[in-house]
Amino acid sequence: MPVFPLGAHADDGGVRFAVASTSADAVEVCLVDGHEGAWSEKRVELTERTFGVWHGYVEGVRPGQRYGYRVHGPYRPWDGVRANPAKILVDPYARMITGEVTDLDAARGWIDDPMTGPPSTVDSLGHVPLSVVTPPDEPARGPRPDVPWSETVIAELHVRGYTKLHPEVPPEHRGTYLGLAHPAVIEHLRRLGVTAVELLPVAAIADEPPLLERGRRNYWGYATLGFLAPTARYASREGEEIAEFRAMVEALHAAGIEVILDIVPNHTAEGGIGGTTLCYRGLDAPAYYSLRSDGYDADITGTGNTLDAGSPTVIRLVCDAMRHWVTVMGVDGFRIDLASVLGRPRSGPFDPNAPLLTAIAVDPVLSCVKLIAEPWDATGEGYRVGGFGVAWSEWNGRYRDAVRDFWRGHGSIGEVASRLAGSSDLYRISGRRPWASINFVTAHDGFTLRDLVSYERKHNERNGEDNRDGTDDNRSQNFGEEGETTSPVRAARRIATARAMLGTLLLSTGTPMLLGGDELWRTQHGNNNAYCLDDETSWVDWSRRDGALAAYVARVAAIRRGSPVLHADRFYRDGEVLWWHPAGRELGGSDWHDPQLHTLGLLRGEWLLLLHAGADAVPATLPPGGPYTPELDSTRPDGVPAGTRPLPGEATITLPPRSLLLLRTA
C-alpha cells in the first residue's frame, strides 16, 4: 500500500489516512460526529507503519467527515516526548480545520507542571479544533498575472480588516475572502497601481494560551495550527473557506493582481511547553520542534516554540504546504515570517544554504513564484538583512529606518541615498537585482503612516500587556503634540510629510510595499502592535476612499509605472546617476556624512528627484541641462504641481519644508 501523500485523501470507496510520528507506539484515527454536549467518535487503529508514517485505509468515509488522531506512546517531557491519547490531534496535512479552543485546561497535555507533572487525563474532544476530510484537490484555475518583479507594487493588507467597514461590500461579505474579491475593493487597488496583495496569514489559526486567558484573539494570524488549510475565520459561510479563497484569487488574477501569502513556518500556535497539545507536540515534538537537551523548547521566535528547520519532517511539511497553496489555491508567492529561523537548523547559527531554505529555493514549483524573506527573528543573531540567497527578495528594514530617519531630520545623506538607489550594498554581491529589496516605510507591525507622524511613543495599553509589548524604536515624530491634533498647521505638516514619504517609497529603486489603509489615512491611535485587536482599531476606515491622499498615491504609482527608469531591474552603473547638492554641485566627500545636510537631488535618466527634509525652506540650484518640468509636488494634496512651466538648468528654486519634487527633463 502506498504511504504517500500525507494527510487524508478520499476516493470513491473511502479515505486513506497517513500521519508522521517516529516516537509513537500506536496511532488511531478518530472519526468524530455529533455536536457540543453530544460528541461521538469511532476509533480506527492505523496498523501500517512505514518510514515513520502511520497509515491505513478506512472504507465508507466521505468528504465532510471530521477527524483527529490519538497517539499512544512514551510520556517523557525531559526528552520532549509527550504522547497523550486523551488529546485528540489535528492532522498537520488537513486541508480544512473546524472549531476553536474552548477549554484551555482540556487542551493542555499536563497536570500541575508541564515538566514534572503527570499527563492530563481530560479528554480534549469537543474543546479543540478538528480536521475535516475534503474532496480530492482540484488544480488552480485560470491564467496567472505573472507580473515581473521590476513592475511589482505590493499592498500588505489583512483580509478581514481591509474590508470589514467597506460600505460598498455586502454586509455578509465584509471581512471575508469574498469581500476582498468585491469589484469596488479591486478597483481601488488597481487605481493605486497595486500589482500584488500580500495577505497577513490566512492559514488555519489557533489563539495562543496567553490570549485565550485574556479573552482575546490573534487578529494578525501569526499563530498557525494547520499549514495547508485556509482559516475559516474569513469565510462568509461555514465550510466554504476553500471555495471562497479560490474565488478571491481568481477575481484578483482577473484584475491583474497577484496574491502573496504571509506564512509562518517558524513556529506554531501551541506555544511553549506550558501551552497546548493540539497537533505537533502530541504527534512527535522532537520531529517538529527545536528542543533543548532538557526537553524545553528552544525559543528564537519569541512565541514559546520554534519549528526545527533541520528536521526532514518539517522540511517536507513546509514545502508540501507551500506547493499546495500554489498548485491548488492559486497563490503567486510567499512572504516568510521570521525567515532567518528557516536558516537556523536546531536554532543554531544562520546559514543561507540551510536545508529548508535550499529545499524551497530549488523546488520546481516554488522556485517559480515570488519568495520574500522577513530576514530577522527574535534574536540579534537572526538579523540577516541582505544575507539570503539569490532566490529571495527581502523586507529591507534598513530602507524603512533610513527613510524614517531622513524625513525626521536624522541620519546621513549617504545612508538614505543607498536605499533610494536599490541597496546595492546589500544585494549586488549575491548576484541579486534591485527588486530583491522590498522597500517599505510602514507595515502591519508598527505605526501606521498617520501614526508615524502623530506619535513619538507607543500606546498599546488596550493589548492588556501594560504597554510592554511592541517596539520602542519607532523613529517617528509628532510635530510637537502627541496624538491627534486640532491645529490646522500641525495637521498640514503631518500629512505633507506623509506624502513625501510615500513619494520617496514609490520613486525608490526596488520593490515598493504599501501598508493597506495608509492611503486612507488610517490611525491605530498610537498602537504599534495591534495584533490582538479585532475591532475598529485595526479595521480600515473607508470614509476617505475618495480623498486626496489616495489620489496622490495613484498619481505617483502611475508615474513610476510609466517610466522604466523608475522601476529599473538592474543596479545603476557609474555615471548613470548624478547625486546633486542644493548649492548647485555634485555631492561628494564629506557631504555624505554631513549631519546638517537634509536635502539631496538624484538625476537618473529623464528624471530629477529633489528631497528636502528640513523644517525650513531652502534654495536649491538645479543641475545643468534641462529644461526641467515639474511632474509631482508632495506639498500639493493630490501631487499635481501648481505650475508646470519648464525651468532652465542651473535655475534656483525654493524647496518648501519637508517636500519632494519630481521634474522631467525635456
Side-chain angles (χ1 to χ4, degrees):
M1 291 289 184
V3 178
F4 307 109
L6 294 171
H9 295 271
D11 58 27
D12 291 341
V15 174
R16 175 164 296 284
F17 295 94
V19 64
S21 178
T22 58
S23 62
D25 292 335
V27 176
E28 297 170 314
V29 60
C30 305
L31 308 176
V32 178
D33 293 300
H35 52 82
E36 185 175 355
W39 297 102
S40 66
E41 65 174 307
K42 176 184 176 182
R43 301 187 184 185
V44 180
E45 185 175 358
L46 299 179
T47 58
E48 298 293 328
R49 184 183 186 187
T50 311
F51 307 133
V53 173
W54 298 82
H55 56 99
Y57 186 81
V58 183
E59 295 182 352
V61 178
R62 296 287 182 265
Q65 174 68 57
R66 290 168 291 176
Y67 72 99
Y69 292 110
R70 295 188 187 269
V71 173
H72 302 260
Y75 187 82
R76 299 193 304 269
W78 53 91
D79 290 331
V81 180
R82 296 179 173 84
N84 186 342
K87 307 304 167 184
I88 192 164
L89 307 175
V90 163
D91 183 352
Y93 277 74
R95 269 64 168 169
M96 182 180 291
I97 295 174
T98 185
E100 306 273 353
V101 176
T102 59
D103 186 328
L104 186 53
D105 288 335
R108 285 181 166 134
W110 45 272
I111 297 174
D112 297 328
D113 185 275
M115 291 301 291
T116 62
S120 167
T121 58
V122 177
D123 195 323
S124 64
L125 177 61
H127 306 293
V128 296
L130 293 168
S131 313
V132 181
V133 176
T134 57
D137 293 336
E138 297 181 3
R141 300 184 295 266
R144 297 175 181 272
D146 287 328
V147 179
W149 259 121
S150 61
E151 298 175 14
T152 298
V153 176
I154 299 172
E156 188 201 29
L157 53 87
H158 190 286
V159 170
R160 177 170 168 81
Y162 200 67
T163 67
K164 182 63 178 174
L165 299 177
H166 199 297
E168 296 176 57
V169 174
E172 65 273 18
H173 289 167
R174 293 173 189 167
T176 72
Y177 302 119
L178 296 183
L180 192 56
H182 191 275
V185 177
I186 290 177
E187 179 53 35
H188 175 78
L189 294 170
R190 282 174 52 87
R191 178 192 177 206
L192 295 178
V194 169
T195 69
V197 290
E198 183 177 301
L199 306 181
L200 268 68
V202 298
I205 303 161
D207 301 310
E208 304 99 313
L211 288 175
L212 292 169
E213 290 169 344
R214 302 203 309 268
R216 295 291 180 87
R217 309 194 80 181
N218 191 315
Y219 168 73
W220 283 352
Y222 292 93
T224 303
L225 177 60
F227 289 93
L228 284 79
T231 181
R233 294 183 181 185
Y234 309 145
S236 68
R237 292 187 298 167
E238 184 178 358
E240 294 298 316
E241 55 264 32
I242 293 175
E244 293 187 8
F245 183 93
R246 284 165 55 103
M248 175 195 71
V249 171
E250 291 174 17
L252 288 163
H253 281 181
I257 298 173
E258 295 180 314
V259 178
I260 297 171
L261 297 190
D262 193 335
I263 61 172
V264 195
N266 60 77
H267 74 280
T268 77
E270 291 183 313
I273 60 165
T276 51
T277 299
L278 304 176
C279 177
Y280 310 94
R281 179 167 289 122
L283 280 170
D284 193 356
Y288 285 104
Y289 293 125
S290 178
L291 302 177
R292 296 176 358 195
S293 59
D294 57 4
Y296 282 83
D297 289 276
D299 181 14
I300 63 171
T301 64
T303 66
N305 68 62
T306 302
L307 287 170
D308 182 6
S311 165
T313 302
V314 171
I315 293 171
R316 181 177 181 185
L317 172 62
V318 171
C319 291
D320 286 350
M322 292 174 70
R323 279 192 300 271
H324 176 77
W325 285 105
V326 174
T327 61
V328 176
M329 308 302 281
V331 307
D332 305 283
F334 302 92
R335 179 265 192 186
I336 311 293
D337 179 65
L338 302 185
S340 63
V341 171
L342 277 62
R344 301 180 65 182
R346 291 163 292 283
S347 300
F350 178 79
D351 178 2
N353 299 312
L356 182 48
L357 290 176
T358 299
I360 294 170
V362 303
D363 185 276
V365 172
L366 303 180
S367 61
C368 296
V369 301
K370 289 182 167 70
L371 298 174
I372 303 170
E374 182 187 38
W376 51 78
D377 56 39
T379 72
E381 152 70 20
Y383 192 80
R384 294 290 167 171
V385 173
F388 279 69
V390 294
W392 297 88
S393 294
E394 299 175 13
W395 270 27
N396 189 346
R398 287 185 61 179
Y399 179 95
R400 172 200 59 206
D401 295 347
V403 171
R404 288 186 178 193
D405 279 347
F406 175 78
W407 285 109
R408 67 190 184 110
H410 291 244
S412 69
I413 290 294
E415 176 67 10
V416 77
S418 294
R419 306 308 141 222
L420 288 171
S423 297
S424 62
D425 57 329
L426 299 177
Y427 302 111
R428 189 200 299 268
I429 193 170
S430 61
R432 288 182 279 180
R433 301 285 188 92
W435 40 257
S437 177
I438 306 297
N439 299 332
F440 66 105
V441 177
T442 54
H444 71 276
D445 189 359
F447 283 148
T448 66
L449 185 65
R450 180 172 177 174
D451 291 354
L452 190 64
V453 294
S454 303
Y455 296 87
E456 293 188 356
R457 303 183 306 279
K458 65 186 181 185
H459 297 267
N460 299 355
E461 290 81 6
R462 288 196 58 221
N463 296 356
E465 300 179 42
D466 298 323
N467 206 36
R468 295 189 304 269
D469 62 304
T471 183
D472 293 312
D473 183 18
N474 294 296
R475 305 181 190 228
S476 57
Q477 54 189 319
N478 65 15
F479 293 86
E481 180 182 358
E482 186 75 355
E484 295 300 303
T485 183
T486 57
S487 165
V489 173
R490 187 171 287 118
R493 288 174 179 168
R494 288 175 173 180
I495 198 165
T497 304
R499 286 194 298 266
M501 285 193 281
L502 286 169
T504 305
L505 173 64
L506 286 164
L507 296 174
S508 295
T509 301
T511 302
M513 185 185 78
L514 302 161
L515 174 60
D518 275 353
E519 80 281 5
L520 303 173
W521 207 224
R522 184 174 76 90
T523 180
Q524 291 182 169
H525 310 291
N527 193 315
N528 72 355
N529 189 39
Y531 76 103
C532 61
L533 300 181
D534 187 4
D535 57 25
E536 286 83 356
T537 304
S538 301
W539 302 339
V540 172
D541 178 2
W542 286 84
S543 62
R544 296 174 181 258
R545 64 190 182 278
D546 297 322
L549 189 58
Y552 174 84
V553 173
R555 178 176 179 82
V556 185
I559 292 172
R560 173 191 176 90
R561 185 169 58 249
S563 176
V565 172
L566 298 179
H567 56 262
D569 68 351
R570 62 174 178 81
F571 291 110
Y572 300 117
R573 301 185 180 96
D574 291 343
E576 288 187 327
V577 298
L578 174 69
W579 296 101
W580 195 248
H581 193 287
R585 58 177 173 80
E586 288 189 51
L587 281 164
S590 62
D591 292 333
W592 299 112
H593 309 287
D594 182 354
Q596 304 305 315
L597 183 59
H598 304 299
T599 311
L600 81 160
L602 170 58
L603 181 64
R604 46 184 168 164
E606 72 272 26
W607 295 102
L608 174 63
L609 178 65
L610 298 174
L611 307 176
H612 173 54
D616 299 308
V618 297
T621 300
L622 302 180
Y628 298 96
T629 302
E631 295 283 346
L632 180 74
D633 183 350
S634 70
T635 66
R636 307 280 296 175
D638 58 2
V640 178
T644 58
R645 178 177 60 84
L647 303 170
E650 302 184 84
T652 298
I653 63 174
T654 299
L655 296 178
R658 299 182 181 88
S659 62
L660 175 151
L661 184 64
L662 181 69
L663 307 99
R664 185 197 293 267
T665 60

